[in-house]
């Protein structure tokens, strides 16, 4: 791999990561950082539902430059904006490689096609990588058309969380994937170590060649698919000015997360201020909450509550899933929110 210290005369390779909500794309991407050669510069263009820049905060402690595109999907609503974002990353950071992490319900063809069109701007589509959540794949493959497309049109399928299922269940998942895509290599991730960059960089994909017309790559089923497949709840609660104590304890919030439906609630992510149970007089701590299909992490961020740079926000969370209207009262009660603090976008599942 050529380092950024060398004179770059070739195009910047672009690796596209797809995979359904909560499959573990961000974790795998971040795990690549310590495994690339010293001086090898990676940039991440991250696409996300809602308007919460969670992953930029997660990457602050790394050397990864992150740019997030919010409130839409790169394969349809934001496809025209991706070109400008890639050029900005290239001009600003002069990277050795750009990684695109799509939203959880993105079809790769329009993204790949636009990257191929940017050859004269100095970009090359290297590979399309699909991350499969071995715990939950069989649950969402029947409800998400684009999840099937992600598994079908890819250079490599990464089997994530395979160590958390039985050998029989893993064989069943692979059988289901093989029904969609027999020939594509399927690689087991190495737990938190993700996967070696040597396995996924330098593929030089032939998928979605420009010989195909853009119109031929667009299936009518993916038109506004992010609105048709996924329900979305956005929650914002402001804190009292200069208040150092959050009404939410870490213990109670964890109990709320554990009470959520694993079947209908695919993803919950955002920020929340929490107070420790044992000492409610201490100033609260800001956490990144990352919840997927019943598994979650709470990552503390080292910021003081009275910092002048912080938004006056107590909770800022996005919840994604199916039939979320059924869980609305539970969510309101668990987070002590009212109608003014919640925005509900229901998908048309027809």
């Amino acid at each position: 791999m050529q380092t950024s210290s060398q004179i770059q005369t070739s195009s910047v390779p672009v690796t596209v990561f797809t995979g359904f909500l909560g499959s573990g794309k961000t974790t795998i991407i971040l795990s690549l950082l310590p495994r690339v050669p010293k001086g090898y510069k990676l940039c991440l263009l991250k696409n996300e539902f809602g308007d919460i820049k969670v992953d930029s905060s997660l990457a602050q402690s790394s050397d990864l430059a992150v740019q997030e595109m919010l409130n839409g999907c790169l394969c349809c609503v934001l496809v025209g904006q991706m070109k400008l974002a890639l050029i900005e990353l290239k001009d600003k950071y002069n990277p050795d490689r750009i990684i695109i992490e799509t939203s959880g319900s993105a079809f790769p063809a329009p993204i790949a096609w636009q990257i191929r069109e940017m050859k004269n701007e100095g970009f090359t589509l290297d590979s399309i990588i699909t991350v499969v959540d071995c715990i939950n794949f069989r649950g969402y493959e029947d409800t998400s058309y684009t999840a099937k497309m992600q598994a079908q049109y890819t250079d490599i399928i990464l089997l994530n969380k395979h160590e958390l299922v039985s050998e029989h269940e893993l064989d069943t998942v692979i059988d289901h994937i093989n029904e969609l895509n027999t020939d594509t290599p399927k690689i087991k991730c190495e737990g938190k170590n993700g996967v070696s960059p040597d396995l996924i960089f330098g593929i030089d994909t032939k998928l979605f060649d420009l010989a195909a017309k853009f119109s031929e790559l667009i299936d009518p089923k993916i038109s506004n698919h992010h609105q048709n497949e996924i329900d979305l709840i956005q929650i914002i609660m402001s804190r009292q000015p200069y208040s150092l104590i959050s009404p939410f304890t870490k213990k109670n919030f964890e109990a709320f997360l554990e009470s959520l439906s694993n079947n209908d609630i695919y993803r919950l992510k955002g920020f929340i201020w929490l107070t420790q149970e044992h000492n409610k007089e201490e100033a609260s701590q800001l956490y990144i909450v990352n919840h997927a299909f019943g598994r979650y992490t709470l990552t503390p961020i080292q910021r003081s509550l009275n910092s002048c740079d912080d938004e006056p926000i107590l909770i800022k969370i996005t919840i994604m899933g199916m039939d979320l209207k059924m869980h609305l009262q539970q969510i309101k009660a668990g987070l002590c929110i009212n109608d003014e603090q919640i925005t509900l976008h229901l998908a048309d599942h027809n």
Side-chain angles (χ1 to χ4, degrees), residues 78-312:
L78 301 178
V79 67
Q81 299 177 31
M82 184 179 68
K83 177 178 179 178
L84 297 176
L86 287 174
I87 292 173
E88 182 179 342
L89 284 173
K90 182 173 182 286
D91 291 345
K92 186 175 181 179
Y93 297 104
N94 190 29
D96 295 292
R97 178 177 300 270
I98 295 175
I99 294 174
I100 294 178
E101 180 184 346
T102 71
S103 68
S105 186
F107 185 56
I111 299 171
W113 191 88
Q114 184 159 359
I115 296 169
R116 289 196 182 282
E117 273 215 318
M118 296 178 66
K119 181 178 180 180
N120 291 338
E121 280 87 1
F123 297 93
T124 302
L125 177 64
D126 183 34
S127 61
I128 297 173
I129 310 296
T130 296
V131 181
V132 168
D133 174 359
C134 292
I135 300 175
N136 299 294
F137 179 75
R138 290 204 296 139
Y140 61 66
E141 66 167 324
D142 291 331
T143 60
S144 174
Y145 175 76
T146 45
K148 293 180 180 179
M149 293 300 99
Q150 290 167 353
Q152 284 182 299
Y153 299 104
T154 181
D155 294 291
I156 293 173
I157 293 173
L158 298 182
L159 300 172
N160 199 25
K161 310 177 191 177
H162 62 88
E163 69 278 9
L164 302 177
V165 301
S166 66
E167 286 295 326
H168 174 73
E169 177 62 19
L170 179 59
D171 289 341
T172 303
V173 169
I174 293 174
D175 287 343
H176 279 240
I177 295 172
N178 282 335
E179 290 177 6
L180 300 169
N181 187 339
T182 302
D183 299 328
T184 295
K186 299 160 187 71
I187 300 173
K188 292 182 180 179
C189 293
E190 305 167 20
K192 293 183 178 180
N193 292 325
V195 64
S196 170
D198 293 331
L199 295 175
I200 60 174
F201 291 169
I203 301 298
D204 190 22
T205 180
K206 304 304 179 186
L207 289 173
F208 306 119
D209 194 279
L210 273 180
K213 296 180 180 178
F214 182 72
S215 60
E216 295 173 355
L217 299 176
I218 303 300
D219 191 308
K221 291 184 179 180
I222 71 164
S223 177
N224 292 326
H225 60 94
H226 59 294
Q227 297 177 3
N228 297 331
E229 292 185 338
I230 303 296
D231 292 341
L232 186 72
I233 291 177
Q234 292 178 296
I235 299 164
I236 298 179
M237 181 189 296
S238 299
R239 69 174 188 260
Q240 295 298 317
Y242 309 110
S243 173
L244 299 180
I245 306 299
S246 168
F248 301 102
T249 66
K250 188 169 182 285
K251 180 179 179 181
N252 288 342
F253 183 66
E254 288 177 333
F256 164 74
L257 294 176
E258 291 165 4
S259 73
L260 297 176
S261 168
N262 293 355
N263 296 322
D264 295 335
I265 297 179
Y266 300 156
R267 201 81 165 86
L268 182 154
K269 63 191 307 184
F271 302 92
I272 185 169
W273 291 94
L274 298 173
T275 300
Q276 294 296 329
E277 185 74 20
H278 63 275
N279 191 348
K280 295 183 180 180
E281 299 304 318
E282 286 186 359
S284 301
Q285 169 70 55
L286 178 63
Y287 287 88
I288 296 173
V289 54
N290 216 325
H291 176 284
F293 295 99
R295 298 170 59 84
Y296 65 88
T297 58
L298 289 170
T299 305
I301 301 179
Q302 299 306 316
R303 298 177 187 169
S304 68
L305 190 61
N306 57 359
S307 169
C308 60
D309 296 326
D310 289 331
E311 293 183 87

Side-chain angles (χ1 to χ4, degrees), residues 235-239 248 312-315 335-337 341:
I235 299 164
I236 298 179
M237 181 189 296
S238 299
R239 69 174 188 260
F248 301 102
I313 296 297
L314 187 62
I315 299 176
L335 295 177
C336 304
I337 55 177
Q341 297 162 328

